[in-house]
Amino acid sequence: MEEEGKMVREWRRLKKIDDLTYIGECDSEHPAARVFGGHVLAQAMSAAYYTAPEGFYVHAVHCYFIRGGEESIPITYNVKIIRDGRNFAIRYVEAVQHGKVIHLAEFSLQKLASVKDTFSLTPEFPAHVPGPDGLISNISGRHQKVAEGFDARELRGQVTERMAPSLEIRPADLNMFLHGTGGVNQKQYLWIRYKIPVDKSDYMLRHATIVYLSDLELVTTGALCFNDKMFKLQTSMDHSAWIHQYEFDINDWILYEQECVANSNHRSLIHGRLWSRDGKLIMSTSQEALIYKVQPSKI
């Protein structure tokens, strides 16, 4: 909810209108462009949590990015209670600007007390990836490349300095991140850290924050299959996430493993895994990204 005495623009700030309606603002200090999709998804998740029964945790998310939102305009979140069962609940959230839906999200919540079996199965942690210490951030790397004479328009990666200032990203392979691979490799690894401290007891904010950063750079990974330097359009179409661990340290670095597994009809399919530093699989993601290449001019 809104924090008293704190005027900084921050995605965590939601104002309650009634039991099923909330309003949020963007976290960019100088809002002047399209809102970050992960920001809208995280606020929608927070709104869903505010209406959920006590002790129910979000375990699955499915959403569609319908229209580009404006950073300077507050977003209204309308929550629909689809079902409140014994062990599971469903919430449906519409994000609205100017009377039009810009984002749709569905959240499935599980009653934590209903979990009795401790069995778990996860893939192997990619231990070969270098740790975040000593790596260069995406922002610093971009500035260095521009200083070296590279055209900023030809450098890949989202401009997180503006749209997600509360996050820090350190690519394991900076050259791959900024220049691509010539279509040779479709997988990359990113270390991501949320810079604003989150109270360890606040599970709702912890889960909303991991969803917030789960939308980062999947579109960039979806373009790894191309040898092109510039693109006409790169945007997320939909996003799904599954939370495997309800307890994790969101204040620590998280490794985001991303791979483009398919592309057809201008659409890339990207799968992702978010790992804790100690090798636990926190979340799995899947996203379809719309990517249009710049067509060569006809003579």
Side-chain angles (χ1 to χ4, degrees):
M1 296 283 188
E2 232 177 337
E3 298 172 280
E4 293 185 0
K6 190 172 184 180
M7 301 304 294
V8 61
R9 299 185 68 89
E10 187 180 318
W11 71 263
R12 297 190 286 189
R13 302 176 66 221
L14 285 182
K15 180 180 179 181
K16 182 178 179 179
I17 303 303
D18 57 46
D19 289 344
L20 297 176
T21 308
Y22 300 83
I23 291 181
E25 61 181 20
C26 302
D27 64 349
S28 175
E29 294 183 1
H30 304 286
R34 289 177 58 178
V35 64
F36 170 45
H39 157 94
V40 183
L41 177 56
Q43 286 194 333
M45 185 177 190
S46 297
Y49 254 136
Y50 292 151
T51 70
E54 185 176 356
F56 279 69
Y57 287 13
V58 172
H59 71 90
V61 180
H62 305 286
C63 75
Y64 290 93
F65 303 102
I66 300 173
R67 296 180 177 88
E70 297 179 35
E71 287 188 334
S72 59
I73 305 298
I75 303 172
T76 300
Y77 296 91
N78 300 317
V79 184
K80 294 183 180 180
I81 299 176
I82 306 301
R83 181 176 186 267
D84 280 337
R86 180 180 302 176
N87 295 320
F88 290 89
I90 301 292
R91 294 293 183 271
Y92 184 84
V93 182
E94 294 180 343
V96 179
Q97 274 188 337
H98 301 299
K100 295 182 179 180
V101 176
I102 64 171
H103 182 267
L104 291 175
E106 183 181 68
F107 302 91
S108 181
L109 301 95
Q110 180 181 26
K111 187 177 182 179
L112 187 60
S114 69
V115 179
K116 306 298 182 182
D117 195 342
T118 59
F119 173 80
S120 65
L121 174 68
T122 63
E124 185 177 354
F125 175 71
H128 66 281
V129 178
D133 299 330
L135 295 178
I136 300 175
S137 74
N138 62 326
I139 296 174
S140 296
R142 177 177 291 273
H143 290 167
Q144 287 183 13
K145 292 292 184 179
V146 172
E148 292 171 6
F150 287 91
D151 187 340
R153 297 171 299 176
E154 296 183 355
L155 297 177
R156 300 190 180 196
Q158 296 173 301
V159 186
T160 56
E161 187 175 15
R162 178 195 60 78
M163 71 181 190
S166 56
L167 294 172
E168 181 178 359
I169 300 176
R170 295 183 183 180
D173 188 328
L174 184 63
N175 282 325
M176 179 193 299
F177 178 81
L178 292 175
H179 298 291
T181 66
V184 175
N185 183 27
Q186 284 81 50
K187 177 182 281 192
Q188 67 175 341
Y189 300 88
L190 312 169
W191 286 99
I192 305 178
R193 182 176 67 91
Y194 187 66
K195 296 186 288 187
I196 303 175
V198 174
D199 190 328
K200 292 183 179 181
S201 65
D202 192 342
Y203 69 90
M204 290 190 291
L205 182 55
R206 180 169 67 248
H207 296 168
T209 303
I210 193 78
V211 165
Y212 176 86
L213 61 83
S214 74
D215 184 40
L216 281 167
E217 302 299 352
L218 290 168
V219 172
T220 303
T221 300
L224 286 178
C225 58
F226 298 109
N227 190 28
D228 303 71
K229 291 185 177 181
M230 298 178 66
F231 298 89
K232 182 178 180 180
L233 175 69
Q234 298 180 79
T235 188
S236 305
M237 297 187 68
D238 54 34
H239 187 75
S240 294
W242 298 266
I243 299 177
H244 308 299
Q245 302 290 336
Y246 293 135
E247 297 291 335
F248 54 88
D249 187 0
I250 192 63
N251 297 307
D252 197 3
W253 287 98
I254 291 174
L255 178 63
Y256 204 166
E257 176 185 359
Q258 301 181 350
E259 182 176 16
C260 180
V261 298
N263 179 279
S264 63
N265 302 313
H266 306 294
R267 293 176 285 108
S268 283
L269 179 63
I270 309 99
H271 290 168
R273 294 170 177 166
L274 292 96
W275 301 88
S276 64
R277 291 188 76 172
D278 58 359
K280 293 180 180 179
L281 181 62
I282 301 172
M283 173 187 283
S284 296
T285 62
S286 186
Q287 182 175 110
E288 196 171 40
L290 184 64
I291 300 176
Y292 285 120
K293 300 187 295 181
V294 174
Q295 298 299 321
S297 58
K298 296 181 180 180
I299 300 177

